Amino acid sequence: MAAKGSHSHVKLEGEIERCRAEGHWGQLRHLAQQLLPPVRPPRKAAGDSQDSEDYGSMLLAEALLEECLKENFAKLKDSIPLTEKNEPKLSEAKQYLSSILSRGKLRPKYMTEAMLILGKLHYVEGSYRDAISMYARAGIDDLSTKDEPLYVLRLVTEAFVIKGLSLERSTNSIASRARLCEREEEVMACFETACVIAQVYLQELEKTLNNTHSRSIKGSNVTYSEFELSYFLEAALQSAYVTHLKKGNIVKGMRSLREILRTVETKSTQTFKMLAQVLLHSLSEDCYWSPLSDPLPEFMNKEDQSYVSNLLYRRPELYTEENQFSLALFLSDVPFICASAQANRDAVISRAPDQQDDRAVSLQDASAVYDLLSITLGRRGQYVMLSECLERAMKFAFDEFHLWYQLALSMVACGKSAYAVSVLKECAKLRPTDPTVPLLAAKVCIGSLHWLEEGEYFAKMVIDLGDDAGESLAKGYLALGLTYSLQATDATLKGTQDELNKKALQTLERARDLAPEDHQIILYLSLQLALVRQISDAIEHLQEALQLCKDDMNSLHLLALLFSAQKHYQHALDVINMAVVEYPESF
């Protein structure tokens, strides 16, 4: 019977540790109740029973506090203190913990854990000094994570990040500049230590949750892909490099950020969308450096030592040489590609009505990632890579104009003109009242592909919108006029040529009437007049265009040709000399 009881106790302890590590707070409350006797035992056994009861009370307090924090995640993000009056779970947890510490009957290990939990409670109440005092009492600077269970890593991680946040919010009372610098170093030490332990915790948690035996145990059915970061774990991963970058310590911030990228990739550390935003918003092209090169000298004076304690013993695992793909991503410093891969993998593609909210969130996240990807790759001219990434996004882009249009633009930019026109047709179906879509399609057809019939079709789509096309209506007529003009050039019959040239001239004049201040439209009207040998009228209109835009190279070029055609060679030479001065590099 004793052996059976011992086995039951070990099993209970194992389940408690697992719940605390994996965040099963509802189940932990149920287990904690088993340690709380319904009636206080006889006085002679009070010592052992009190220890067990206090242990159960501590677990119950932790579960209540964590449930309260989960319910108030938004308030935590906005740094809004929680009050006992409005949060019954918080009040009950505080009563349990205060009673435990006042009695002092718990074993030292669990007493330390109770202090760590109470320190967290003080922080969310806004009592930052009390939180700092409680962590000093627990002696967190001397704690070791070597050979400790998983839930202890979580507790220590949160303790360090909360201590750092509490110190950060308590700097107003410091008058001495030297003391303020010491405080800032202490804050950074807390943040950097929290970041390291958080990564170790998440890596070990992934191994545990991916273990078949672990998942088969009753109540432990969560998978790692479903694990959600708590507010404080998220803060532990981010606070160090965000604080460095905010203070202008770019070298330290970037190195801290890249250290996170180098750790073995886990679901919870795939915050590549946020990392991409940090890179884009914090660094200009001039101050960026790759992981394989040294930072600029002017940034090196901000470099200082690492504050991570040697007591930790355990460090996060890094990419190995065998993992070439991950290593290549790190070396090339493109978390945006990882972000797009994650967006594709996590996308909700089901069209079921009950999946509508999840699908909307998934699409919003994916769109944000691909926008960042477009900015980054676009600035480096990597349009082929961008188009390939966006093509993979089409599986969850049903009826989503933004991603379709991004794909079309990337294909235009990388020269995949025929594919771009096909995608633009889909965009036009999604937004039939948007004139910019068929206008772009007409431009691609006329310019890159010389698909004149398709160009005419798209130009007429814009014109058919009428006044709803707004300022694009004149551009629609311009596109149609150019199409007619090119068709006239391709025609073999004189009658067909004359008819098409006439239609081109009428259409371009209509465009000029709609936008009399558009020098580009007047330029093409002049060109059409020149093609039908109305040279004087062409020059007259071209001078009008040059009044609107005096240094337009194409207008100057055409004017020189027209003067030359009329044998006004000196005028033509004067225009050429003027243009060469303005554009000395133009062949």
Side-chain angles (χ1 to χ4, degrees), residues 24-29 60-73 87 89:
H24 303 302
W25 306 118
Q27 189 181 353
L28 182 62
R29 286 181 66 180
L60 189 57
E62 182 178 29
L64 288 167
L65 176 60
E66 293 297 337
E67 288 177 347
C68 176
L69 297 185
K70 193 170 183 178
E71 292 166 3
N72 291 277
F73 189 87
E87 303 296 339
K89 291 181 179 178

Side-chain angles (χ1 to χ4, degrees), residues 87-296:
E87 303 296 339
K89 291 181 179 178
L90 184 74
S91 177
E92 189 178 352
K94 190 173 184 179
Q95 289 174 10
Y96 279 127
L97 293 169
S98 299
S99 299
I100 291 168
L101 294 182
S102 64
R103 283 193 293 270
K105 300 292 185 181
L106 267 179
R107 281 179 283 173
K109 168 183 168 61
Y110 296 131
M111 189 66 75
T112 300
E113 292 178 13
M115 292 177 190
L116 297 182
I117 297 168
L118 186 56
K120 184 195 297 188
L121 191 149
H122 284 319
Y123 174 83
V124 299
E125 283 185 314
S127 304
Y128 305 126
R129 290 190 177 183
D130 291 341
I132 296 169
S133 298
M134 189 56 62
Y135 288 137
R137 183 177 170 187
I140 65 168
D141 293 331
D142 299 322
L143 292 178
S144 169
T145 57
K146 184 179 181 181
D147 299 327
E148 291 292 342
L150 202 50
Y151 77 88
V152 173
L153 294 181
R154 178 186 57 80
L155 282 175
V156 175
T157 295
E158 294 176 335
F160 273 107
V161 76
I162 291 171
K163 180 183 175 182
L165 292 170
S166 299
L167 289 169
E168 208 173 34
R169 286 162 171 73
S170 306
T171 55
N172 294 337
S173 60
I174 300 176
S176 166
R177 182 171 180 81
R179 182 70 188 97
L180 185 62
C181 289
E182 290 177 8
R183 175 60 61 86
E184 289 177 353
E185 288 183 4
E186 192 176 0
V187 168
M188 284 311 309
C190 291
F191 287 160
E192 290 184 358
T193 302
C195 184
V196 171
I197 308 175
Q199 292 170 74
V200 174
Y201 163 72
L202 291 170
Q203 290 172 355
E204 294 300 318
L205 180 66
E206 182 177 30
K207 295 174 186 177
T208 301
L209 291 180
N210 288 341
N211 184 283
T212 306
H213 174 69
S214 173
R215 292 201 305 270
S216 66
I217 294 175
K218 181 180 177 182
S220 184
N221 55 2
V222 68
T223 63
Y224 192 64
S225 63
E226 297 167 347
F227 179 76
E228 294 182 8
L229 285 178
S230 68
Y231 169 77
F232 291 113
L233 284 174
E234 191 175 307
L237 289 173
Q238 298 176 10
S239 294
Y241 67 78
V242 168
T243 303
H244 278 309
L245 292 173
K246 280 183 178 179
K247 292 181 180 297
N249 300 328
I250 296 177
V251 172
K252 289 292 292 181
M254 283 294 296
R255 285 182 174 168
S256 178
L257 189 153
R258 284 167 172 162
E259 280 298 312
I260 295 178
L261 290 177
R262 288 184 64 202
T263 59
V264 171
E265 182 180 312
T266 64
K267 170 75 174 181
S268 300
T269 55
Q270 288 175 338
T271 52
F272 290 110
K273 169 185 160 186
M274 177 266 301
L275 300 183
Q277 290 172 326
V278 170
L279 286 171
L280 285 174
H281 297 161
S282 303
L283 297 177
S284 68
E285 294 282 351
D286 295 333
C287 67
Y288 178 83
W289 73 95
S290 76
L292 296 178
S293 62
D294 292 326
L296 297 176

